[in-house]
Amino acid sequence: MTREENPLIRGILEDARNKAEDILGKARSEAEAIEKEGASRAAREKDSAEKSYAVRLEQIRLREESAKKNIDRLSELRTLDSSYKEIMAEVDARIRKAMQEPGFSDVLTDWIAEAAIGLDRKEAKVAYSAQTPVTEEMLRVAEKKVHDMTGASVSLSLDPVMVKGAGVILSSSDGKVSYNNQLDVRIRRYQREIKKIVQEENARENSR
């Protein structure tokens, strides 16, 4: 009787084949699962890489956009600054030219009256410069202007101490309070309004 004909051996072999097939089946299933997991992992990694790439591209785009805006803003600020300086130079030149004309004494008288109202004292000393001389007659006119505008009476006198720069400075009798109405100070008071006008004009030009 051969080995295959022996029932005991045949049973052992059959059982071994079944176990082998079962092991092979499990191995195939595991291999397929590993393959699927590998493919899934690869897909996830690919998707993650694509998303990361997209994020980086967006970051680069935003940086470029921000840099462009900064450049545009810097250019705009330089243009505004240049325009402002040009206008202020023209204002300064026109005022200094007007200072040489006889009618400027009327303007200076208005500055004195304005400073007297701002100082709000019954008596005040008026300091002036060689560029913009003040006379007693101008003080009387300024006193009348103050009275006409506010109803208040003020007594103005010339300050023996002269100042540098065009315009006037009014001080109380004790010198503790003063109102500076010199040309450079007056211009600084209107800087914000002038800059606003320059911005509006530049915006209007750019929109055309």
Side-chain angles (χ1 to χ4, degrees):
M1 183 172 58
T2 63
R3 186 176 59 176
E4 287 75 7
E5 292 175 344
N6 188 316
L8 178 60
I9 294 175
R10 189 168 57 248
I12 292 172
L13 290 174
E14 186 67 27
D15 186 52
R17 291 191 189 97
N18 291 336
K19 287 183 179 180
E21 288 178 1
D22 185 51
I23 291 171
L24 287 174
K26 289 181 180 180
R28 292 191 189 97
S29 297
E30 290 176 359
E32 290 175 358
I34 292 171
E35 185 178 352
K36 288 180 180 180
E37 176 61 25
S40 178
R41 185 184 298 112
R44 289 197 302 269
E45 290 176 354
K46 179 183 177 183
D47 183 59
S48 176
E50 288 177 349
K51 287 180 179 178
S52 177
Y53 180 69
V55 169
R56 289 174 184 170
L57 282 180
E58 180 64 11
Q59 289 175 340
I60 292 171
R61 187 190 69 77
L62 291 174
R63 287 196 197 100
E64 290 178 347
E65 185 177 322
S66 177
K68 184 178 182 300
K69 286 182 179 179
N70 288 337
I71 291 171
D72 291 343
R73 179 58 179 163
L74 182 60
S75 176
E76 180 183 356
L77 289 175
R78 286 177 176 171
T79 300
L80 289 174
D81 185 59
S82 177
S83 299
Y84 174 76
K85 287 180 179 178
E86 186 177 339
I87 289 174
M88 294 309 298
E90 180 67 19
V91 168
D92 185 73
R94 290 191 181 189
I95 292 178
R96 294 192 183 282
K97 181 180 178 181
M99 285 166 52
Q100 308 303 318
E101 300 174 359
F104 188 75
S105 61
D106 295 335
V107 175
L108 194 57
T109 301
D110 289 338
W111 291 5
I112 295 171
E114 180 185 52
I117 293 172
L119 188 64
D120 193 24
R121 292 291 188 277
K122 291 184 177 181
E123 296 181 356
K125 297 181 292 184
V126 181
Y128 59 93
S129 71
Q131 295 175 271
T132 50
V134 177
T135 65
E136 289 286 349
E137 181 182 357
M138 291 168 64
L139 296 185
R140 304 293 81 79
V141 175
E143 289 172 352
K144 185 177 184 304
K145 284 180 178 289
V146 172
H147 187 270
D148 291 344
M149 287 187 285
T150 67
S153 296
V154 60
S155 176
L156 302 175
S157 60
L158 294 175
D159 192 329
V161 179
M162 299 185 71
V163 297
K164 295 180 180 180
V168 295
I169 298 177
L170 271 66
S171 304
S172 58
S173 298
D174 57 11
K176 292 182 178 180
V177 184
S178 64
Y179 188 103
N180 192 326
N181 220 9
Q182 290 183 284
L183 177 59
D184 58 341
V185 175
R186 289 181 62 83
I187 289 176
R188 283 201 297 272
R189 288 183 191 139
Y190 294 100
Q191 277 184 341
R192 181 177 297 179
E193 288 80 1
I194 294 173
K195 286 182 177 180
K196 184 178 179 181
I197 292 171
V198 172
Q199 286 179 321
E200 290 174 349
E201 286 298 319
N202 276 341
R204 192 176 292 113
E205 286 294 325
N206 293 333
S207 64
R208 291 178 182 176

